[in-house]
Structures are given as C-alpha cells and as structure tokens.
C-alpha cells in the first residue's frame, strides 16, 4: 500500500466534501492509501484545523486520522533539518523518511529544496498532481 505524508495545508484542502481535492481524503478513509503521521504532525493538524474551522471539526478529523487502520504512526529517530527556509516543515520530511513514505504531498514552496537533495531521496508532489495520480489508478 502506498504511504504518503500530507502537509497541513493539503489536509485543509481535502477534508471538505465540496473540495476538488476531497478524493485525497476519501482514498485514505476508504483504505486505499496509508498516511504517515507523527505526534508533531497531528498536533499541527489539530492547531491549524481549530484556527481555520472550529474545535469540534478539528477533533473529528484528527480522531478519524488517529483511529484509521491505515494510519502509520512514526516517531522519527533522526532529524534531517533539510528545510532551512521554514524549519517547522522538517517534521513532515523526518516523518516521510522514517515512515518510508513514497510521497510528501504539499503545495508549500519550501519543500522544493527536496528536489535538489540526493539523500534522503524524497518525492514531492502537489495535491493537484496527487489527485491526477489517483484518477489514473
């Protein structure tokens, strides 16, 4: 099963049933893809979802992630510090490496530095590219 790490902004983009990216969420909920998450990522999901929506909705979404059998909990044992422009984004990189994720799904330009790093080799895709890939499966 494919493993991905989903950036927080992409999570926000896919949870609404009215979003053109909602299939990213439904693919996960239906068990077609595994999401790698760390405690730090879950905390950020909760914080940002609460800010952008409300506490109830944030709790529902984060609980759905935590309790999904396709969620892979990752406790990074090494911190690569590959993203200098926004060090807060490194939690996604560390989770992807330690969780053996195939992709980091993000539209954040700070992640583009990963395209120039030979090791650890991480594949970055935008949410738009990822949705196209889902459509082609």
């Amino acid at each position: 099963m494919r493993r991905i790490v989903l950036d927080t902004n992409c999570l926000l983009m896919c949870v609404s049933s009215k979003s053109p990216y909602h299939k990213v969420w439904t693919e996960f909920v239906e068990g077609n893809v595994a999401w790698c998450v760390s405690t730090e990522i879950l905390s950020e999901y909760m914080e940002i979802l609460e800010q952008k929506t409300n506490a109830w909705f944030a709790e529902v979404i984060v609980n759905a992630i935590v309790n999904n059998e396709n969620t892979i909990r990752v406790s990074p044992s090494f911190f690569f510090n590959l993203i200098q422009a926004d060090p807060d984004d490194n939690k996604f990189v560390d989770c992807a490496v330690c969780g053996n994720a195939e992709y980091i799904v993000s539209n954040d330009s700070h992640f583009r530095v990963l395209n120039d790093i030979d090791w650890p080799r991480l594949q970055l895709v935008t949410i738009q590219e990822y949705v196209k890939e889902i459509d082609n499966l």
Side-chain angles (χ1 to χ4, degrees):
M1 177 177 295
R2 170 174 289 139
R3 294 177 177 208
I4 68 166
V5 171
L6 190 70
D7 185 23
T8 307
N9 286 326
C10 290
L11 175 66
L12 287 169
M13 293 169 72
C14 76
V15 292
S16 170
S17 61
K18 296 177 183 175
S19 169
Y21 311 111
H22 188 63
K23 61 181 65 180
V24 174
W25 176 255
T26 54
E27 283 290 298
F28 169 66
V29 171
E30 292 173 359
N32 299 318
V33 65
W35 284 7
C36 298
V37 297
S38 65
T39 301
E40 272 189 292
I41 290 172
L42 290 170
S43 294
E44 181 172 304
Y45 285 173
M46 180 68 85
E47 177 186 347
I48 302 303
L49 282 165
E50 282 180 353
Q51 288 174 6
K52 302 291 183 181
T53 62
N54 59 57
W56 174 84
F57 186 75
E59 188 173 333
V60 167
I61 295 299
V62 171
N63 281 337
I65 295 168
V66 168
N67 294 316
N68 189 297
E69 64 184 31
N70 294 317
T71 297
I72 299 168
R73 294 294 298 261
V74 178
S75 297
S77 54
F78 189 82
F79 304 101
F80 293 89
N81 295 314
L82 298 177
I83 301 177
Q84 301 297 315
D86 188 357
D88 195 43
D89 288 335
N90 282 308
K91 68 175 136 296
F92 298 97
V93 174
D94 299 337
C95 182
V97 173
C98 295
N100 199 27
E102 184 174 343
Y103 297 133
I104 295 177
V105 180
S106 177
N107 287 18
D108 187 334
S109 63
H110 295 129
F111 284 91
R112 290 188 194 142
V113 69
L114 300 175
N115 294 327
D116 300 325
I117 296 172
D118 292 331
W119 191 91
R121 191 74 190 140
L122 295 168
Q123 188 168 355
L124 175 66
V125 295
T126 65
I127 195 166
Q128 294 84 359
E129 292 166 333
Y130 188 63
V131 165
K132 284 181 187 174
E133 186 167 313
I134 292 169
D135 288 341
N136 290 331
L137 292 178

